Amino acid sequence: LMNNFFHHYLSMKHKKYINEKSVYDEFKNYFKEHILDTENLCEDILKFSKYYADMRLNKQDDNAELNCLYAEIKDAKMTVVYPLLMKVLDDYNNEKISQKEFCEVINLCLSYYFRQVICNAATAGNNKFFCSILKEIKEDDYINSIKAYFKLQQGGKKFPTDEEFRTAFEKKDIFHTDKCKQILTHLEIFNNYKNASLESLNKKSIEHIVPQNKNLSPEWEKDLGADKIEIQQQYLHTIGNLTLTGYNSKLSDSPFLKKLEMENGFKESNLKLNRYIIEQKTWGLTQIEDRAQELSALACRAWPYPNIADDILKKYQESKEGKEQIIDDSLIKYENRLGVNSAKYLKEIESKISQLDNQITRKFNKYYIRYFDSEGNCFVEIQPLKDALNIFVNIDFDKVNDPKKMCKDYFNLGKLSNYNTRLQLKDFSEINYAADIIKQAFEQDE
């Protein structure tokens, strides 16, 4: 716990993700750079260690909503948000923001993460992303600055919209995600923090309404109709067919009406999740789809999309565009080496790289461009050629996932780059594939 705290503490102070292996060296550097006396440093560490303990151990006075939100973060294993939340909690305690606003920030983090999970977006790199928010907070427009930063993300870091989220939420195999229980629990306690008990909900089991057993009873075959096999295969593990119960083994493969009426059945349940189920007399495709739509609407409220006025968002958009490097400077720098096609490749691949993280920087060499993450680690070098790009990635050749076998091992061969794994891009149709190889190098140590 102590090692984790110092890791998050230093990431918060530096406003960038600190590699866990570098914590000791970074701590010494931080102490020297800020010329802190021992007493002030210890007081600061003590203050933030209490914040960290509150969040990790779920201790926040009698505030039911905060307790639930802290528990959500812990259950989701979202340790990557602690550097951000320690800073925001400090601002809340110093009355820079209200309790409502503090809860809103936590909810934004949860919303972003769960929407990523449901929409199959990559969560690798979130450690750097959440730390990067620390640099974007405007003290005079606190919540809007955070909302805008979330909403303006593009590419792999995009915040999924309500439409994207609902579509995926209704069709996705929720049961086989490692967040299934937490998703159902959060939907149950949403807007009911004072009355719902996370401890009791966590003791309940996940129940499939249409049973998992392929040997359906005659009653189930009648309810599901002629398409029973397809319905069971396609909808069995989706949100419309899942709920929570304390009596999973008793319900089991029972017919729907028996699940309703039996002792400790659905009709005796006091869970909000089961209200729609109780009202039904049969259970088939129509009911599964209707309930999925009902729960996806609830999920959009539970994990909301950032709500910010268009005129305010526009100001942040303009500010972001003003700070961004213009990609064309690479084209100007190497105009004598680039051909028409390779110039297009470079412009597009740089756009893909910029979407990995907003703190990526570049350095220009006589022969190639080097790209660095927020910690100053170079993860790719690109050599512009007349009709192609040589892309050297900082990842061992035997570790790269390259099903098309486009990468070559340049170990012990003469080359301009510092890295051994090379991919040559000479066809526009391979842009996304090349971008994925680069992404592997960017994310390999996260």
Side-chain angles (χ1 to χ4, degrees):
L1 193 63
M2 184 178 293
N3 287 340
N4 291 334
F5 163 70
F6 277 104
H7 176 220
H8 299 313
Y9 175 78
L10 289 168
S11 295
M12 175 195 66
K13 290 296 183 179
H14 285 289
K15 297 184 178 180
K16 69 175 185 179
Y17 176 74
I18 300 298
N19 192 297
E20 291 182 62
K21 298 176 183 178
S22 308
V23 168
Y24 179 66
D25 290 334
E26 290 291 346
F27 181 75
K28 289 192 297 181
N29 292 336
Y30 176 73
F31 184 78
K32 291 177 183 177
E33 289 172 7
H34 292 78
I35 319 176
L36 296 170
D37 63 73
T38 305
E39 184 177 351
N40 287 335
L41 177 62
C42 289
E43 287 177 355
D44 197 60
I45 291 173
L46 177 61
K47 177 177 70 170
F48 282 98
S49 65
K50 288 179 177 177
Y51 294 162
Y52 183 63
D54 283 347
M55 290 187 284
R56 283 297 303 269
L57 303 177
N58 197 19
K59 295 178 180 178
Q60 184 62 32
D61 301 325
D62 297 321
N63 189 297
E65 183 176 7
L66 265 181
N67 285 337
C68 284
L69 291 174
Y70 285 163
E72 293 265 346
I73 294 289
K74 185 177 179 180
D75 288 349
K77 298 179 174 61
M78 287 176 61
T79 58
V80 294
V81 302
Y82 287 131
L84 171 63
L85 294 187
M86 285 196 296
K87 148 73 176 170
V88 181
L89 176 54
D90 186 48
D91 289 339
Y92 161 55
N93 285 334
N94 290 324
E95 299 183 348
K96 292 182 180 180
I97 59 173
S98 66
Q99 185 181 96
K100 179 182 178 182
E101 289 171 324
F102 178 43
C103 290
E104 191 171 4
V105 173
I106 301 176
N107 250 324
L108 274 171
C109 296
L110 284 164
S111 297
Y112 181 69
Y113 177 74
F114 276 99
R115 287 185 179 227
Q116 282 183 312
V117 169
I118 295 299
C119 294
N120 295 323
T123 56
N126 275 355
N127 46 12
K128 296 176 182 177
F129 170 73
F130 282 109
C131 286
S132 71
I133 298 175
L134 290 163
K135 293 182 179 180
E136 305 299 324
I137 295 174
K138 309 296 183 189
E139 299 289 339
D140 59 345
D141 196 25
Y142 206 103
I143 301 302
N144 281 331
S145 63
I146 296 175
K147 286 182 178 179
Y149 189 68
F150 271 115
K151 197 165 184 176
L152 292 174
Q153 296 303 307
Q154 298 295 323
K157 291 301 174 189
K158 180 186 176 185
F159 202 122
T161 64
D162 283 350
E163 182 179 357
E164 292 166 337
F165 181 52
R166 289 194 68 169
T167 299
F169 193 75
E170 292 172 16
K171 301 296 183 183
K172 186 179 179 69
D173 178 344
I174 300 288
F175 181 69
H176 286 111
T177 69
D178 61 355
K179 307 300 179 192
C180 181
K181 181 75 168 289
Q182 193 176 4
I183 288 169
L184 291 167
T185 299
H186 186 76
L187 293 178
E188 178 62 31
I189 66 172
F190 175 62
N191 275 351
N192 191 34
Y193 297 110
K194 292 183 179 179
N195 298 320
S197 167
L198 268 177
E199 186 177 355
S200 63
L201 286 173
N202 284 332
K203 293 178 181 178
K204 295 188 180 297
S205 302
I206 300 169
E207 167 68 11
H208 290 76
I209 305 170
V210 173
Q212 298 185 74
N213 192 337
K214 293 180 180 180
N215 298 315
L216 294 168
S217 66
E219 292 91 342
W220 273 118
E221 289 186 349
K222 181 180 178 182
D223 282 350
L224 298 177
D227 298 326
K228 57 184 180 293
I229 296 176
E230 290 77 9
I231 293 172
Q232 192 182 39
Q233 289 177 343
Q234 188 172 346
Y235 293 91
L236 179 66
H237 302 306
T238 61
I239 194 67
N241 193 55
L242 300 174
T243 190
L244 293 174
T245 176
Y247 306 95
N248 179 274
S249 60
K250 292 184 179 180
L251 297 178
S252 188
D253 299 336
S254 301
F256 179 68
L257 290 179
K258 186 175 180 180
K259 288 188 176 189
L260 277 180
E261 304 291 348
M262 67 188 295
E263 183 181 0
N264 299 318
F266 289 133
K267 282 197 172 180
E268 294 185 14
S269 171
N270 60 358
L271 298 182
K272 293 189 300 180
L273 280 172
N274 294 331
R275 288 177 185 171
Y276 175 87
I277 302 170
I278 292 169
E279 297 170 353
Q280 309 309 308
K281 296 181 179 179
T282 186
W283 194 261
L285 178 58
T286 299
Q287 289 74 26
I288 293 172
E289 291 182 329
D290 287 350
R291 183 167 177 266
Q293 291 175 13
E294 181 180 281
L295 292 180
S296 70
L298 177 62
C300 281
R301 298 194 299 275
W303 295 299
Y305 189 68
N307 180 26
I308 181 171
D310 290 342
D311 58 332
I312 297 175
L313 183 65
K314 185 178 180 181
K315 292 178 182 178
Y316 283 97
Q317 175 71 55
E318 291 171 350
S319 175
K320 179 184 177 184
E321 290 171 351
K323 289 189 293 184
E324 286 178 342
Q325 284 185 302
I326 301 172
I327 290 173
D328 288 348
D329 61 2
S330 294
L331 306 182
I332 296 170
K333 184 78 175 177
Y334 299 97
E335 60 183 348
N336 294 328
R337 298 175 61 85
L338 291 163
V340 175
N341 288 334
S342 57
K344 291 180 181 177
Y345 304 155
L346 182 59
K347 187 169 184 176
E348 187 63 25
I349 207 70
E350 283 212 325
S351 175
K352 299 286 186 184
I353 290 173
S354 69
Q355 292 171 14
L356 294 174
D357 188 75
N358 74 330
Q359 297 186 62
I360 289 173
T361 56
R362 297 174 295 174
K363 288 185 180 178
F364 298 106
N365 180 284
K366 181 179 180 180
Y367 296 106
Y368 52 79
I369 313 166
R370 306 189 76 204
Y371 299 82
F372 298 82
D373 64 19
S374 60
E375 298 172 49
N377 301 313
C378 181
F379 60 93
V380 63
E381 296 177 343
I382 297 180
Q383 179 189 13
L385 302 174
K386 205 68 178 175
D387 298 308
L389 300 177
N390 277 340
I391 300 174
F392 292 89
V393 289
N394 186 7
I395 185 171
D396 292 341
F397 179 75
D398 59 353
K399 292 182 179 179
V400 68
N401 181 15
D402 177 26
K404 292 186 178 182
K405 307 297 181 185
M406 288 182 63
C407 292
K408 305 295 181 184
D409 187 358
Y410 267 58
F411 183 69
N412 281 337
L413 297 178
K415 60 186 186 300
L416 295 172
S417 174
N418 298 295
Y419 308 124
N420 299 322
T421 305
R422 191 209 76 170
L423 175 150
Q424 189 169 84
L425 179 61
K426 49 187 177 182
D427 192 310
F428 204 82
S429 65
E430 301 294 350
I431 289 285
N432 289 334
Y433 189 83
D436 181 68
I437 299 293
I438 294 171
K439 185 178 179 182
Q440 290 179 48
F442 177 75
E443 295 178 346
Q444 68 171 331
D445 292 326
E446 297 176 350

